[in-house]
Amino acid sequence: MRAKFRNSSFVMVLVLVMLLSISLPLWAAEIIILHNNDVHSRLESHLPQGAEKEQGGRVRLASLVQEVRAQYGADRVLLLDAGDAIHGTNIDNLFGGLPSIEIMNAMGYNAFTPGNHEFNYGQEVLAQRIKDANFPTLAANVTREDGTLFAGYSALIQEINGIKVGIIGLVPQETPIVTHPKNVEGLIFHEPIGIAKQIAREIRSDVDLLIVLSHLGYSKDVELAKAVSELDVIVGGHSHTELEQAAEVNGVLIVQAHEYANNLGFLRLEVENGKIVKHESKLIPVTADVPKNAKVQAIVDRWNEELQQRLSQVVGKTDLVWDGERASVRVKETNLGNLVADIMRDAVGADIALTNGGGIRASINPGEIRVADIYTVLPFDNTLAVIELRGMDIIEALEHSVRLLPEQNGGFLQVSGITFEVIPDAVVGARVINVKVDGKPISAAGYYTVATNDFLAAGGDGYDILKNGKLIADTGVMLRDVMVDYFVNNPTTPVPAEPRIVIVK
């Protein structure tokens, strides 16, 4: 595959020439780069925990973009998105990211590079979103196995106010382990810095300004700047870094605007003879004082109506009460807890599944099951992850799960693929006995794949022991969406096998 990168035909450059109004003289050519990253489907403003006023969201971001274009002239403004844009909230997740793409079209983006979460919908959906976009999607280091580019373009050249601007798009190489493996089957995520260096050398002489649109994270962007001196600017994402001013590394300006459209990144450059002679950078806060853009709000309202219809969709039917009551899932196994754990394990083919009872917030009653019912059961934005864990660490996690019995505990685990007994009156560390995986005694020194949620995998609810595990996949797919898919494919759900957790009296 390396040889394909050395072949200049690998680099497909899209040249877009914008109509120019009156340009500044070459000795004072000006360009404004507006940028954002890691919006994660925040189309509307949100109220952060502890805040008194809402902030962020594309609906207000669009107004600031409009103001900057009016102030400097639209022909001098380049609008860029550094990825993780179209996945993260219900309004996008239930429609494959199309609402965000429609709004980005309305805002007039010039270029976009996919983040790892863009792949959560699978290749076919993402490929369709790329076609739906009125702006080019750049991913220089993602190819199919035959060497062809997944996104169609690795770089582009645009002429802005008389300045020829080259833009290269880079996607994180670790994407295959932070999304579901089936979403990236047949794709190769190449080491990005070498790819950037090659393309930079090939197009540097054709442009006055060379930008990388990166979803690699700030630390990787610093490495990139040190390694590729041909670059002028790196517009970053992935690490959710809030850079109030551009960082300068090896003569390269690095910018990043935090997350959720909380800020609009602003970088004003003066370019002379292919060199930046002056720059000004800042973050413009997207506060509640920024008016909502009427055009974007109308799009959001229309999709919210679609969302309500989608939430009312019937995905199954049951004659049972599926027990998700707080007093149940926090002290014992329940049929609903078992079902959720089974669905998680089945979705990724893991040996076992562990999920905290505190993440299950409601029961499902007899009758039709709607999408909204499942979202009520699993209201948190927890995503499905897979880790590899030693048997002894799994046993310790089970001990942590039952340590407060008979008191309610949000960290009490609902499980799948594993059975054990609990002696509540035994000494701490010896309460869990007779642990079996797939009916066989667990091997303390053996390794097992564990489906869990990102909250627990990160040590939530005191599960520091789970951080010992090796991350196999962080799918980025929310548990509630995994459960919706299950019900769509299994309208009549069998009762999960029990018992799994036996409390010894």
Side-chain angles (χ1 to χ4, degrees), residues 349-419:
D351 296 320
I352 68 175
L354 307 173
T355 193
N356 52 314
I360 298 172
R361 309 297 281 196
S363 298
I364 297 176
N365 294 315
E368 294 179 332
I369 301 173
R370 292 175 168 78
V371 174
D373 297 323
I374 296 171
Y375 276 45
T376 301
V377 170
L378 299 173
F380 302 110
D381 292 343
N382 291 334
T383 58
L384 181 60
V386 185
I387 57 177
E388 185 179 65
L389 207 60
R390 291 182 305 174
M392 65 179 68
D393 292 331
I394 293 170
I395 295 170
E396 186 172 335
L398 298 179
E399 286 281 354
H400 183 76
S401 168
V402 303
R403 72 194 187 284
L404 298 180
L405 286 177
E407 295 178 20
Q408 292 184 23
N409 168 26
F412 184 88
L413 294 175
Q414 302 291 324
V415 304
S416 175
I418 189 168
T419 61

Side-chain angles (χ1 to χ4, degrees), residues 18-212:
M18 301 181 65
L19 294 176
L20 304 178
S21 60
I22 299 174
S23 299
L24 292 175
L26 288 179
W27 53 267
E30 179 185 59
I31 182 172
I32 310 298
I33 299 173
L34 299 181
H35 59 94
N36 58 257
N37 56 276
D38 299 283
V39 174
H40 289 283
S41 299
R42 267 60 176 189
L43 305 184
E44 299 183 85
S45 297
H46 56 279
L47 188 67
Q49 187 173 6
E52 295 182 357
K53 293 185 177 181
E54 61 183 16
Q55 65 184 45
R58 290 197 194 269
V59 69
R60 286 191 162 95
L61 188 77
S63 295
L64 289 179
V65 171
Q66 194 171 41
E67 288 179 16
V68 173
R69 284 175 173 153
Q71 179 178 352
Y72 290 92
D75 61 302
R76 298 181 182 182
V77 176
L78 190 66
L79 180 59
L80 304 175
D81 190 299
D84 276 3
I86 66 172
H87 183 277
T89 65
N90 295 343
I91 197 170
D92 259 347
N93 292 357
L94 290 175
F95 299 102
L98 185 56
S100 278
I101 292 294
E102 187 173 339
I103 287 173
M104 292 171 73
N105 284 342
M107 291 175 64
Y109 277 80
N110 295 87
F112 168 64
T113 198
N116 49 289
H117 285 292
E118 263 71 53
F119 289 87
N120 289 349
Y121 298 119
Q123 295 177 50
E124 291 185 6
V125 173
L126 179 55
Q128 183 57 53
R129 293 297 83 83
I130 290 172
K131 291 179 181 178
D132 293 331
N134 295 337
F135 46 86
T137 299
L138 311 176
N141 63 317
V142 184
T143 70
R144 298 180 182 87
E145 291 177 340
D146 63 4
T148 58
L149 286 163
F150 171 71
Y153 301 106
S154 60
L156 64 84
I157 296 174
Q158 293 187 346
E159 190 168 329
I160 307 291
N161 195 28
I163 302 171
K164 290 184 178 179
V165 182
I167 308 174
I168 303 167
L170 297 176
V171 178
Q173 188 178 11
E174 68 269 19
T175 296
I177 67 167
V178 294
T179 191
H180 197 293
K182 70 179 181 182
N183 294 337
V184 292
E185 276 182 341
L187 296 182
I188 301 173
F189 291 76
H190 301 272
E191 193 283 317
I193 293 179
I195 302 300
K197 183 182 286 289
Q198 179 185 337
I199 298 175
R201 289 175 176 174
E202 293 194 20
I203 69 175
R204 178 71 255 194
S205 61
D206 298 324
V207 300
D208 302 305
L209 185 69
L210 186 54
I211 300 170
V212 163

Side-chain angles (χ1 to χ4, degrees), residues 308-316 369-373 484 488:
Q308 292 309 311
Q309 294 179 22
R310 179 73 174 90
L311 289 173
S312 65
Q313 178 184 348
V314 175
V315 293
I369 301 173
R370 292 175 168 78
V371 174
D373 297 323
V484 167
V488 167

Side-chain angles (χ1 to χ4, degrees), residues 410-431:
F412 184 88
L413 294 175
Q414 302 291 324
V415 304
S416 175
I418 189 168
T419 61
F420 58 97
E421 298 176 8
V422 182
I423 306 174
D425 296 333
V427 297
V428 174
R431 292 175 177 172

Side-chain angles (χ1 to χ4, degrees), residues 217-446:
Y218 181 69
S219 62
K220 197 72 174 180
D221 288 342
V222 170
E223 290 182 38
L224 177 64
K226 291 177 179 178
V228 188
S229 59
E230 293 89 349
L231 303 178
D232 295 302
V233 177
I234 298 173
V235 175
H238 190 42
S239 55
H240 297 227
T241 305
E242 190 169 21
L243 294 176
E244 296 286 350
Q245 303 285 333
E248 189 166 354
V249 177
N250 193 29
V252 181
L253 299 175
I254 304 176
V255 295
Q256 196 174 150
H258 196 214
E259 63 187 9
Y260 304 160
N262 289 341
N263 301 296
L264 174 63
F266 176 97
L267 178 63
R268 188 182 73 84
L269 304 175
E270 293 182 17
V271 180
E272 178 182 350
N273 296 326
K275 294 187 180 298
I276 298 172
V277 295
K278 186 177 181 180
H279 75 271
E280 172 195 357
S281 64
K282 60 183 177 181
L283 298 181
I284 304 173
V286 182
T287 68
D289 296 326
V290 176
K292 295 180 179 181
N293 181 277
K295 183 177 182 181
V296 171
Q297 186 65 62
I299 297 172
V300 171
D301 290 344
R302 173 165 51 80
W303 280 108
N304 273 332
E305 289 180 11
E306 293 279 343
L307 176 61
Q308 292 309 311
Q309 294 179 22
R310 179 73 174 90
L311 289 173
S312 65
Q313 178 184 348
V314 175
V315 293
K317 187 176 182 180
T318 183
D319 296 325
L320 301 175
V321 173
W322 294 88
D323 185 4
E325 297 304 305
R326 180 186 182 93
S328 299
V329 294
R330 293 172 179 241
V331 296
K332 64 180 180 180
E333 70 173 292
T334 75
N335 59 353
L336 182 56
N338 289 341
L339 177 62
V340 171
D342 283 351
I343 291 171
M344 293 168 62
R345 183 166 66 100
D346 181 68
V348 293
D351 296 320
I352 68 175
L354 307 173
T355 193
N356 52 314
I360 298 172
R361 309 297 281 196
S363 298
I364 297 176
N365 294 315
E368 294 179 332
I369 301 173
R370 292 175 168 78
V371 174
D373 297 323
I374 296 171
Y375 276 45
T376 301
V377 170
L378 299 173
F380 302 110
D381 292 343
N382 291 334
T383 58
L384 181 60
V386 185
I387 57 177
E388 185 179 65
L389 207 60
R390 291 182 305 174
M392 65 179 68
D393 292 331
I394 293 170
I395 295 170
E396 186 172 335
L398 298 179
E399 286 281 354
H400 183 76
S401 168
V402 303
R403 72 194 187 284
L404 298 180
L405 286 177
E407 295 178 20
Q408 292 184 23
N409 168 26
F412 184 88
L413 294 175
Q414 302 291 324
V415 304
S416 175
I418 189 168
T419 61
F420 58 97
E421 298 176 8
V422 182
I423 306 174
D425 296 333
V427 297
V428 174
R431 292 175 177 172
V432 172
I433 61 172
N434 199 23
V435 182
K436 295 181 179 180
V437 176
D438 194 26
K440 301 175 183 178
I442 193 169
S443 168

